[in-house]
C-alpha cells in the first residue's frame, strides 16, 4: 500500500462525518483518511505538497460514487486559509507524519535504511534538499537544527564531523550521513542512533514546524461551530506544539493568576476531546503507528 492510514476509524468517528458536509484533509498522503470521509458521504478538499500523493489519490478516488465530491490541490496545508477562501468546513484532519511511500522510496532520500542521494524533500519541486543543508549550512545553524529539531545530545560531535567530512568532499548519500552520525555518538549499543539527526534535517528541509501553530489556528478559524479538527502527531516537538495550541484555543480566563478575579472576559473558542493512541493490535499491523497521538478539538 502507498500508506496505511493511522487511527482511521477513530478519526472518522471523531469527525462525525455527515453526508453532503465539507471536510478538509490537509495531508492527503495515500488518501486513507480522505477515502474514509468520502465513503461516509462527506465532500472533500484534499491538499498535499507531494505530487505523488495527488496522483495516487486521483486514481484511488476515480469511482462513480465519489464523482464531483472531491477537489485535490498540490499545495501546503499552511496555505489552507487562502485556498478555502470563504468556504467553511464541517471538519478537518491533519496527519503531521511522513507517508510510508516517502520513507520506502529510496529516491526520496528520507531513510537511513537505503543508500541513496540525500534529498528528504516532501515536495520534489522545493529548492532546498538535505544535501544543501548538510553541505552548506554554517556550524551554528547545524547545531541549532540538530539540538532543537532532533533533540540530539551529541549535536556538537555530529556537526564537528560534518564540517570535517565536507571539508574534503560533499556528503552526498544517506549512508555517508548515517555512518557519520553513528561515528559521532558514543553509545554504540543504541538502535538506530541516526534517527534523531535524520528527523532534524528532514524537519528543516520541509519547514515542518515553522508556521505550524498559525496553520492550525487558520484551519480552526475555518471550521463551522460544532465542527472538529483532528491532528495526528508523531514526536515530542509536534505533540507539545499541538497540545499547547489546543489548550490555548480551549482556555477560558487568561488573566494573570495573581489577580483576585477575572477581568479579561476571555471565552474559550473550542472544547478539547479525548486524546487517543493506536491500539496494540494496530501497532502490530502497522509498527509505524506506535508513536502516533491523536488530539482533537471541537469549535464552540
Amino acid at each position: 500500500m502507498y500508506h496505511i492510514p493511522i487511527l482511521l476509524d477513530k478519526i472518522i468517528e471523531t469527525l462525525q462525518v455527515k453526508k453532503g458536509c465539507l471536510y478538509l484533509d490537509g495531508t492527503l498522503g495515500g488518501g486513507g483518511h480522505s477515502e474514509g470521509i468520502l465513503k461516509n458521504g462527506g465532500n472533500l478538499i484534499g491538499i498535499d505538497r507531494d505530487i505523488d500523493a495527488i496522483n495516487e489519490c486521483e486514481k484511488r478516488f476515480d469511482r462513480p460514487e465519489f464523482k464531483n465530491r472531491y477537489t485535490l490541490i498540490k499545495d501546503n496545508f499552511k496555505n489552507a486559509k487562502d485556498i478555502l477562501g470563504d468556504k467553511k468546513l464541517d471538519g478537518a484532519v491533519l496527519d503531521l507524519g511522513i507517508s510510508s511511500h516517502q520513507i520506502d522510496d529510496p529516491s526520496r532520500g528520507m531513510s537511513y535504511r537505503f543508500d541513496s542521494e540525500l534529498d528528504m524533500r516532501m515536495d520534489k519541486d522545493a529548492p532546498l534538499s538535505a544535501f544543501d543543508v548538510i553541505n552548506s549550512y554554517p556550524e551554528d545553524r547545524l547545531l541549532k537544527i540538530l539540538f532543537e529539531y532532533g533533540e540530539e545530545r551529541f549535536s556538537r560531535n555530529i556537526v564537528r564531523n560534518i564540517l570535517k567530512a565536507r571539508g574534503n568532499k560533499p556528503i552526498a548519500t544517506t549512508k555517508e550521513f548515517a555512518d557519520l552520525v553513528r561515528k559521532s555518538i558514543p553509545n554504540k549499543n543504541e538502535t538506530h542512533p541516526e534517527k534523531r539527526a535524520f528527523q532534524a534535517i528532514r524537519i528543516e528541509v520541509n519547514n515542518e514546524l515553522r508556521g505550524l501553530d498559525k496553520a492550525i489556528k487558520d484551519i480552526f478559524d475555518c471550521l463551522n461551530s460544532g465542527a472538529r479538527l483532528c491532528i495526528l502527531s508523531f514526536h515530542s516537538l509536534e505533540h507539545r506544539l499541538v497540545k499547547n495550541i489546543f489548550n490555548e484555543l480551549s482556555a477560558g480566563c487568561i488573566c494573570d493568576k495573581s489577580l483576585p478575579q477575572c477581568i479579561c472576559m476571555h471565552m474559550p473558542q473550542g472544547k478539547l476531546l479525548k486524546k487517543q493512541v493506536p491500539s496494540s493490535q494496530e501497532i502490530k499491523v502497522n509498527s509505524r503507528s506506535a508513536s502516533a497521538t491523536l488530539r482533537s478539538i471541537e469549535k464552540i
Side-chain angles (χ1 to χ4, degrees):
M1 291 184 68
Y2 187 100
H3 180 73
I4 302 172
I6 294 170
L7 286 167
L8 173 60
D9 292 340
K10 295 294 184 185
I11 286 173
I12 299 304
E13 179 185 328
T14 302
L15 287 175
Q16 299 178 321
V17 178
K18 297 179 180 67
K19 186 176 180 179
C21 291
L22 181 63
Y23 299 87
L24 171 72
D25 185 346
T27 48
L28 271 168
H33 296 122
S34 287
E35 184 179 63
I37 290 168
L38 291 167
K39 279 183 173 179
N40 283 272
N43 296 329
L44 173 78
I45 295 175
I47 301 172
D48 205 295
R49 55 175 142 176
D50 186 352
I51 191 62
D52 287 357
I54 300 294
N55 292 337
E56 173 69 16
C57 290
E58 288 284 8
K59 291 185 290 185
R60 184 169 186 167
F61 303 158
D62 186 16
R63 309 182 202 174
E65 64 269 30
F66 293 168
K67 190 174 182 181
N68 300 324
R69 291 178 41 218
Y70 65 88
T71 302
L72 305 183
I73 300 166
K74 182 185 180 296
D75 207 323
N76 192 317
F77 69 82
K78 292 177 183 177
N79 301 320
K81 199 164 191 176
D82 292 333
I83 292 168
L84 291 168
D86 295 332
K87 292 185 179 73
K88 284 293 187 179
L89 300 169
D90 299 297
V93 58
L94 295 176
D95 179 343
L96 300 181
I98 55 176
S99 75
S100 295
H101 170 75
Q102 291 169 335
I103 298 171
D104 294 336
D105 180 357
S107 71
R108 307 302 287 264
M110 291 274 190
S111 176
Y112 42 78
R113 293 187 295 117
F114 308 111
D115 185 12
S116 56
E117 291 183 8
L118 274 170
D119 193 325
M120 300 194 192
R121 291 174 297 173
M122 292 179 179
D123 179 355
K124 295 176 182 179
D125 297 326
L128 185 72
S129 71
F131 178 91
D132 301 319
V133 171
I134 292 168
N135 288 288
S136 67
Y137 273 26
E139 179 180 5
D140 59 342
R141 200 166 172 193
L142 284 171
L143 280 169
K144 183 179 175 69
I145 290 166
L146 290 170
F147 186 74
E148 292 186 2
Y149 293 165
E151 299 179 296
E152 175 56 73
R153 290 180 299 150
F154 300 104
S155 300
R156 292 195 179 279
N157 291 1
I158 296 170
V159 172
R160 189 182 306 118
N161 285 327
I162 286 174
L163 297 176
K164 183 178 177 182
R166 78 186 194 187
N168 297 320
K169 68 179 184 68
I171 300 163
T173 69
T174 52
K175 184 178 186 304
E176 288 174 26
F177 183 54
D179 288 346
L180 182 151
V181 172
R182 284 193 291 268
K183 184 177 72 174
S184 307
I185 294 177
N187 183 5
K188 303 303 179 186
N189 295 321
E190 183 181 357
T191 305
H192 302 309
E194 62 272 54
K195 184 176 182 178
R196 294 183 297 275
F198 269 69
Q199 172 184 296
I201 300 299
R202 191 201 76 230
I203 288 173
E204 173 65 16
V205 168
N206 295 290
N207 196 17
E208 293 176 37
L209 295 179
R210 285 193 295 274
L212 179 57
D213 53 350
K214 181 180 183 301
I216 292 172
K217 290 175 183 177
D218 282 350
I219 293 171
F220 182 83
D221 284 346
C222 294
L223 296 178
N224 285 314
S225 177
R228 294 173 170 186
L229 170 60
C230 298
I231 301 182
L232 279 169
S233 56
F234 290 84
H235 54 75
S236 60
L237 300 175
E238 292 175 346
H239 296 326
R240 194 179 310 127
L241 190 148
V242 175
K243 178 183 176 181
N244 289 343
I245 294 169
F246 278 13
N247 284 341
E248 179 185 337
L249 290 169
S250 62
C253 173
I254 54 173
C255 289
D256 189 310
K257 299 304 178 188
S258 64
L259 293 175
Q261 63 182 34
C262 174
I263 60 172
C264 71
M265 306 301 289
H266 183 269
M267 299 295 290
Q269 301 173 63
K271 178 177 69 175
L272 294 179
L273 304 176
K274 183 181 176 183
K275 182 177 75 172
Q276 301 183 77
V277 295
S279 66
S280 57
Q281 182 60 36
E282 179 168 2
I283 293 170
K284 190 181 295 184
V285 173
N286 178 17
S287 61
R288 287 172 179 166
S289 70
S291 59
T293 296
L294 174 64
R295 287 183 170 85
S296 306
I297 189 169
E298 181 180 304
K299 190 169 185 178
I300 295 174

